[in-house]
């Protein structure tokens, strides 16, 4: 399990930080595009970047099995994992709803103000931040176990554990069922239903307007964006949420069958690693589905290439000039 986390987080870190840094820089240049869900994409990139920046500390722990950075930073990194997951889900839903609503109600799109997206984003962060707090509350930090490692002087050194080694609190059956139900319904079932409905409405509208070529291309682009949001959502978050219900029942000793407990526990880290891949997949939404983003990135690359060619030509002409 430690090797799995280490290799996956190392694989995610470099492309994740590069992709999201470039995406955030590019998206901020299109912040005036109020009908393109740019504000939500910026928040999505911020959520991904916050999680990616915590990965080196996770890799350090899984390699050394020591955590010398204190309980506060441990819980913060632990919290950022779930904050990234559910903030990504929330903003994927916001992108899908806005693209669908603006196509269904073009008049609303013209009257929409950029500050509305900012206010919605603030509300999303507050709600997601509060809803993710149980992931910390459920960890019993007052009883954190310690690893024992031998030093050259043959003394025993105690090191705090973190992340997957944090002990789980025992909850009553009612509380456990309430947390599991709310997490599954609000964090997975409801967002998935909304994204699927947005896809259906856009597809239905596209069929009705096939004879009118004015809005067909825009609707096709919106449909591609919503479908890709659905694909990223299902690929990254469905495995975790399918296993989450069973994992909670195992952690609370509701499931006692040995083979099932072992299978659920073994699949849990795999589902978490798959969920972390959204940090690398989300920037693909910006590149492939946002025309302005792709054009700007192409212009930037062309200008850099032209600058290098001009510098090479000036250098060569300087060398060939007679002294």
């Amino acid at each position: 399990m430690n090797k799995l986390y280490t290799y996956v987080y190392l694989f995610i870190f470099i492309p994740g930080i590069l992709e999201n840094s470039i995406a955030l820089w590019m998206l901020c240049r299109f912040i005036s595009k109020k009908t393109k869900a740019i504000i939500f994409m910026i928040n999505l990139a911020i959520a991904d970047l916050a999680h990616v920046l915590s990965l080196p500390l996770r890799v350090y722990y899984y390699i050394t099995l020591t955590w010398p950075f204190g309980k506060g930073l441990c819980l913060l990194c632990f919290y950022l994992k779930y904050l990234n997951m559910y903030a990504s889900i929330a903003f994927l839903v916001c992108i899908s709803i806005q693209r669908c609503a603006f196509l269904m109600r073009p008049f609303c799109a013209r009257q929409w103000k950029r500050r509305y997206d900012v206010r919605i984003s603030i509300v999303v962060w507050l709600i997601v931040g509060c809803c993710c707090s149980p992931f910390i509350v459920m960890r019993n930090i007052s009883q954190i176990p310690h690893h024992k490692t031998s030093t050259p002087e043959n003394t025993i050194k105690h090191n705090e554990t973190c992340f997957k080694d944090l002990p789980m609190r025992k909850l009553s059956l009612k509380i456990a069922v309430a947390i599991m139900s709310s997490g599954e319904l609000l964090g997975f079932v409801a967002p998935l239903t909304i994204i699927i409905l947005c896809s259906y409405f856009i597809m239905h509208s596209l069929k009705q307007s096939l004879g009118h070529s004015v809005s067909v291309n825009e609707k096709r682009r919106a449909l591609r964006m919503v479908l890709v949001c659905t694909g990223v959502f299902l690929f990254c978050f469905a495995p975790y949420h399918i296993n989450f219900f069973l994992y909670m029942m195992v952690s609370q000793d509701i499931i006692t069958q040995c083979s099932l407990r072992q299978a659920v526990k073994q699949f849990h880290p795999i589902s978490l690693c798959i969920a972390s891949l959204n940090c690398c997949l989300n920037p693909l939404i910006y590149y492939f589905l946002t025309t302005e983003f792709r054009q700007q990135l192409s212009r930037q690359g062309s200008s850099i290439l032209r600058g290098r060619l001009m510098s090479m030509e000036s250098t060569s002409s300087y060398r060939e000039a007679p002294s």
Side-chain angles (χ1 to χ4, degrees):
M1 188 184 299
N2 293 335
K3 289 183 178 180
L4 173 67
Y5 282 128
T6 300
Y7 294 148
V8 171
Y9 290 152
L10 285 174
F11 174 78
I12 292 173
F13 175 68
I14 295 178
I17 197 169
L18 289 177
E19 289 178 6
N20 286 285
S21 298
I22 294 173
L24 193 59
W25 177 59
M26 289 292 185
L27 289 170
C28 289
R29 301 171 69 92
F30 311 130
I31 201 168
S32 61
K33 302 285 184 179
K34 61 183 179 182
T35 63
K36 299 294 185 179
I38 298 298
I39 299 296
F40 297 140
M41 292 183 187
I42 289 174
N43 283 274
L44 189 58
I46 291 174
D48 291 338
L49 196 59
H51 175 54
V52 169
L53 291 175
S54 70
L55 293 183
L57 294 177
R58 288 178 171 269
V59 172
Y60 175 86
Y61 175 75
Y62 290 122
I63 291 177
T64 64
L65 289 180
T66 61
W67 185 261
F69 308 110
K71 296 179 182 178
L73 190 55
C74 170
L75 292 179
L76 176 61
C77 294
F78 184 81
Y79 178 73
L80 285 176
K81 165 70 179 180
Y82 295 97
L83 183 66
N84 164 254
M85 181 188 303
Y86 289 104
S88 297
I89 290 173
F91 286 115
L92 286 175
V93 171
C94 290
I95 292 170
S96 301
I97 292 176
Q98 190 179 72
R99 296 294 283 169
C100 179
F102 284 174
L103 286 177
M104 300 297 104
R105 299 287 186 270
F107 179 76
C108 293
R110 291 191 293 268
Q111 299 296 322
W112 193 257
K113 303 296 183 182
R114 188 174 55 193
R115 63 177 179 269
Y116 299 160
D117 287 345
V118 175
R119 293 172 183 174
I120 293 173
S121 299
I122 293 173
V123 172
V124 167
W125 279 114
L126 290 175
I127 294 176
V128 172
C130 293
C131 292
C132 288
S133 58
F135 288 102
I136 295 180
V137 176
M138 288 171 57
R139 298 293 172 164
N140 193 356
I141 61 175
S142 62
Q143 298 180 2
I144 291 182
H146 295 76
H147 291 303
K148 294 182 179 180
T149 57
S150 298
T151 62
E153 293 79 10
N154 294 321
T155 59
I156 300 298
K157 182 181 179 180
H158 295 270
N159 298 290
E160 288 186 358
T161 60
C162 192
F163 304 126
K164 68 178 181 62
D165 298 317
L166 291 174
M168 185 80 75
R169 292 179 185 270
K170 293 297 180 181
L171 304 175
S172 66
L173 181 60
K174 291 182 179 180
I175 296 178
V177 170
I179 292 177
M180 288 186 288
S181 301
S182 59
E184 290 292 305
L185 292 175
L186 299 179
F188 180 67
V189 177
L192 179 60
T193 302
I194 293 172
I195 293 178
I196 291 176
L197 287 176
C198 290
S199 302
Y200 170 77
F201 289 140
I202 295 175
M203 291 175 64
H204 183 68
S205 176
L206 183 60
K207 291 179 180 179
Q208 291 182 338
S209 61
L210 286 177
H212 308 281
S213 58
V214 177
S215 60
V216 169
N217 291 332
E218 181 65 24
K219 289 183 178 180
R220 284 177 177 170
R221 285 195 294 268
L223 179 60
R224 284 198 299 267
M225 174 169 285
V226 175
L227 290 178
V228 171
C229 289
T230 307
V232 171
F233 183 92
L234 289 174
F235 176 78
C236 293
F237 305 124
Y240 171 78
H241 286 91
I242 292 172
N243 189 69
F244 172 75
F245 183 79
L246 297 174
Y247 183 76
M248 284 292 296
M249 296 179 70
V250 168
S251 64
Q252 299 301 317
D253 294 326
I254 299 173
I255 294 178
T256 57
Q257 186 180 357
C258 183
S259 59
L260 182 57
R261 288 174 63 91
Q262 185 177 3
V264 170
K265 287 184 177 181
Q266 288 178 346
F267 186 71
H268 182 68
I270 297 174
S271 65
L272 280 174
C273 291
I274 294 174
S276 294
L277 291 176
N278 79 295
C279 295
C280 297
L281 294 179
N282 286 335
L284 299 180
I285 299 175
Y286 320 140
Y287 180 79
F288 289 109
L289 301 177
T290 306
T291 306
E292 294 87 350
F293 184 92
R294 189 165 57 251
Q295 291 175 348
Q296 181 67 22
L297 190 61
S298 177
R299 285 197 295 268
Q300 291 293 329
S302 300
S303 62
I304 293 173
L305 181 60
R306 287 196 300 270
R308 289 182 177 178
L309 290 174
M310 291 177 63
S311 63
M312 291 172 63
E313 290 175 357
S314 61
T315 302
S316 61
S317 61
Y318 173 78
R319 290 176 177 176
E320 293 173 359
S323 57

